[in-house]
């Protein structure tokens, strides 16, 4: 059993699925203030946490990495004949990645590895309803669930091990809360995509 800490930089975006009503609408029949597109963008963030690593066998480890992650997500609602409206969702998430690590043979002081697992998370604090022009914005759920996969290298030093890692997270839980307000109606599903360097 060994312990460590991690510092991560990430970029994240929402992945959207439009509602059936929106997808079937005809632009020619929409009013001038109707939404015709919702555009997500990639935004940076960072995370801080700990590593708890248990050696299962020669080439397999079980790893838990509880951490705090700081996110910003941007959505731009584009209208037929009106200026676009931006939705900024800022959250601090408590995340608990549960991973299996498969390691290669050690070559000198270096070895390569791959990791995979799941990442449940819950909101610790944040503003889920943020909009620059209205009093109520898009409603985002307080919890998330991701599948994770990544690869990295272990570099062995006399007193510690340094392990740079690239990891991709794909959300499988629907993050969309209220689907009845103006910002939720065009959408059926919101999930997250995140690319991280630890």
């Amino acid at each position: 059993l060994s312990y460590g800490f991690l510092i991560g930089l990430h970029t994240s975006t929402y992945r959207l699925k439009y509602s059936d009503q929106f997808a079937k609408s005809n632009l020619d029949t929409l009013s001038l203030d109707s939404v015709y597109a919702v555009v997500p963008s990639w935004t940076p963030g960072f995370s801080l946490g700990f590593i708890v690593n248990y050696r299962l066998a020669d080439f397999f480890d079980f790893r838990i990495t509880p951490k705090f992650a700081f996110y910003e997500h941007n959505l731009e609602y584009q209208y037929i004949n009106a200026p676009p409206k931006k939705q900024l969702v800022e959250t601090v998430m408590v995340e608990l990645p549960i991973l299996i690590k498969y390691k290669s043979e050690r070559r000198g002081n270096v070895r390569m590895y791959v990791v995979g697992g799941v990442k449940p998370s819950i909101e610790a604090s944040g503003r889920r309803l943020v909009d620059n022009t209205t009093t109520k914005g898009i409603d985002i759920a307080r919890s998330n669930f991701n599948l994770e996969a990544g690869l990295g290298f272990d570099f062995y030093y006399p007193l510690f091990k340094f392990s740079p890692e690239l990891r991709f997270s794909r959300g499988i839980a629907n993050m969309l809360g209220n689907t009845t307000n103006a910002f939720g109606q065009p959408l059926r599903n919101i999930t997250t995509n995140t690319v991280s360097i630890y």
Side-chain angles (χ1 to χ4, degrees):
L1 187 66
S2 58
Y3 305 94
F5 69 92
L6 64 86
I7 300 172
L9 299 175
H10 62 250
T11 181
S12 182
T13 188
Y14 284 143
R15 183 171 179 266
L16 309 178
K17 289 185 179 179
Y18 289 111
S19 65
D20 292 338
Q21 178 183 355
F22 179 87
K24 293 176 182 177
S25 62
N26 188 339
L27 283 177
D28 295 334
T29 63
L30 294 176
S31 61
L32 293 180
D33 60 349
S34 295
V35 176
Y36 73 86
V38 183
V39 182
S41 59
W42 290 88
T43 52
F46 69 97
S47 58
L48 302 168
F50 298 96
I51 301 169
V52 180
N53 193 86
Y54 181 74
R55 182 174 175 270
L56 296 172
D58 287 342
F59 300 109
F60 287 95
D61 291 352
F62 175 75
R63 172 171 286 194
I64 299 176
T65 58
K67 59 192 172 84
F68 285 98
F70 300 81
Y71 291 96
E72 286 186 357
H73 289 104
N74 282 301
L75 292 174
E76 182 177 86
Y77 285 73
Q78 298 176 352
Y79 297 86
I80 293 175
N81 194 23
K85 294 181 180 179
K86 293 185 179 291
Q87 292 285 292
L88 173 63
V89 182
E90 300 172 314
T91 52
V92 179
M93 304 293 286
V94 177
E95 301 179 334
L96 186 65
I98 301 169
L99 307 167
I100 295 294
K101 176 180 176 181
Y102 175 65
K103 306 174 290 186
S104 70
E105 284 276 6
R106 180 170 168 175
R107 309 291 184 190
N109 289 323
V110 180
R111 83 160 97 214
M112 185 179 178
Y113 67 86
V114 294
V115 293
V118 297
K119 181 179 72 177
S121 58
I122 189 167
E123 181 184 313
S125 68
R127 299 165 61 196
R128 297 183 299 123
L129 305 175
V130 181
D131 176 44
N132 296 330
T133 57
T134 62
T135 57
K136 185 173 178 63
I138 190 166
D139 187 14
I140 300 298
R142 300 182 64 91
S143 60
N144 196 9
F145 192 83
N146 293 264
L147 301 178
E148 294 216 319
L151 57 90
F153 292 88
D154 287 332
F155 295 96
Y156 293 85
Y157 292 91
L159 299 178
F160 68 96
K161 181 172 66 175
F162 175 61
S163 302
E165 180 182 313
L166 177 66
R167 196 185 305 167
F168 178 72
S169 298
R170 178 67 174 263
I172 58 174
N174 185 5
M175 296 286 290
L176 182 60
N178 188 350
T179 59
T180 61
N181 67 15
F183 295 103
Q185 282 178 346
L187 304 175
R188 175 168 59 91
N189 191 286
I190 295 179
T191 55
T192 54
N193 283 344
T194 307
V195 179
S196 305
I197 298 176
Y198 295 103

